[in-house]
Amino acid sequence: MSATKPKISVLIPVHNGAGMLRETVNSILNQTLTDFELLLLDDASEDGSDKVIQSFADSRIRRFRSNTNLGISAARNKLMGLAEGEYLAVLDHDDLSAPNRLEKQARLLDNNPEVAMVGSWGELFCARPPFPGFFGRLKQAFINLGWVWCQPEHPDIRDTLRGNPVMHSSSMLRRAALLRDNIAYNPDYSPAEDYDLCRQLLAAGWQLANIPEVLFYYHYHGRNYS
């Protein structure tokens, strides 16, 4: 890490994510924009996630561990408090980012100071079949078709009535907006803490945006909260 603060802090909370974590981390390390730090918080994993985290030698990585399970909202809040970047990019431990994700989202936030959160479209993928047997494979055939979630480009409060307006694992946040309005994840809403964060930002007068391109890949494995 350089002596100056990074442009972007990428925040990845990890709980029993060893199976996909290496691919997830590499999707960040291979970004076209390189001015970032990557914060990995092992939230009391029991599956060897810590070994995967320790295996990376990249100096942009900062590693943290909790010996007790904080839960997703508290883990996200802890990472936000540790971050030093102007923008905070969120990524779940089992999803992937397109190589130009950070570059395109940072450019949008640079050019639109009224926007506090930017996401993108997301494509569904399945690295390994989550369901056994013939009917499991049949189910996967209907699920894993490369479906693309096309979120509204300029979501407003009305869009929240139809669902989460920004797919959270695709999102980048303006840290100054969170600090100005004392906005954080509310554990009372877990695992819908991301939906509530959108509500808080809109209520505070900030705008949300989505880039109409596939910049992240949602890993469907049968154990997702979504």
Side-chain angles (χ1 to χ4, degrees):
M1 296 292 297
S2 64
T4 59
K5 293 184 178 180
K7 177 78 171 179
I8 298 168
S9 296
V10 182
L11 314 181
I12 304 181
V14 181
H15 180 68
N16 294 338
M20 191 68 193
L21 183 57
R22 186 172 302 280
E23 292 91 335
T24 299
V25 170
N26 281 330
S27 77
I28 295 299
L29 298 181
N30 294 323
Q31 289 288 304
T32 55
L33 186 154
T34 59
D35 185 11
F36 66 83
E37 61 174 0
L38 170 56
L39 280 64
L40 296 168
L41 171 61
D42 181 6
D43 191 16
S45 295
E46 301 172 339
D47 69 340
S49 292
D50 185 60
K51 290 182 179 179
V52 179
I53 292 172
Q54 297 301 326
S55 69
F56 292 98
D58 197 293
S59 61
R60 293 170 294 182
I61 295 178
R62 297 170 60 197
R63 302 167 177 83
F64 306 93
R65 177 172 173 80
S66 174
N67 291 323
T68 58
N69 182 239
L70 301 173
I72 189 61
S73 293
R76 293 195 196 279
N77 284 334
K78 184 175 179 66
L79 285 170
M80 288 200 308
L82 293 166
E84 297 183 347
E86 178 182 1
Y87 303 142
L88 310 178
V90 179
L91 185 61
D92 290 339
H93 68 226
D94 51 359
D95 295 334
L96 304 176
S97 290
N100 56 351
R101 174 196 165 186
L102 298 186
E103 179 181 0
K104 290 200 169 190
Q105 291 185 323
R107 184 184 303 129
L108 186 144
L109 291 177
D110 285 344
N111 294 331
N112 298 274
E114 71 283 359
V115 174
M117 174 190 280
V118 56
S120 74
W121 291 359
E123 183 175 323
L124 185 74
F125 80 100
C126 181
R128 286 170 287 276
F131 307 109
F134 171 78
F135 289 105
R137 291 192 297 272
L138 185 63
K139 184 175 182 180
Q140 182 188 345
F142 284 98
I143 294 173
N144 188 27
L145 295 174
W147 289 348
V148 173
W149 279 285
C150 301
Q151 301 293 81
E153 194 168 352
H154 302 289
D156 58 24
I157 195 65
R158 291 168 296 182
D159 292 299
T160 65
L161 301 177
R162 293 188 285 269
N164 197 341
V166 178
M167 300 200 71
H168 203 57
S169 202
S170 78
S171 65
M172 184 179 289
L173 300 159
R174 188 182 301 278
R175 188 158 71 108
L178 303 175
L179 294 174
R180 190 197 78 175
D181 293 303
N182 195 30
I183 292 173
Y185 296 98
N186 187 339
D188 290 341
Y189 289 95
S190 296
E193 76 289 342
D194 51 347
Y195 180 89
D196 179 67
L197 194 76
C198 293
R199 179 197 62 79
Q200 291 184 65
L201 289 167
L202 289 168
W206 293 98
Q207 293 183 22
L208 311 182
N210 283 297
I211 296 174
E213 299 178 38
V214 174
L215 296 180
F216 100 108
Y217 300 89
Y218 181 86
H219 183 202
Y220 182 82
H221 45 69
R223 299 180 303 279
N224 311 80
Y225 281 121
S226 299

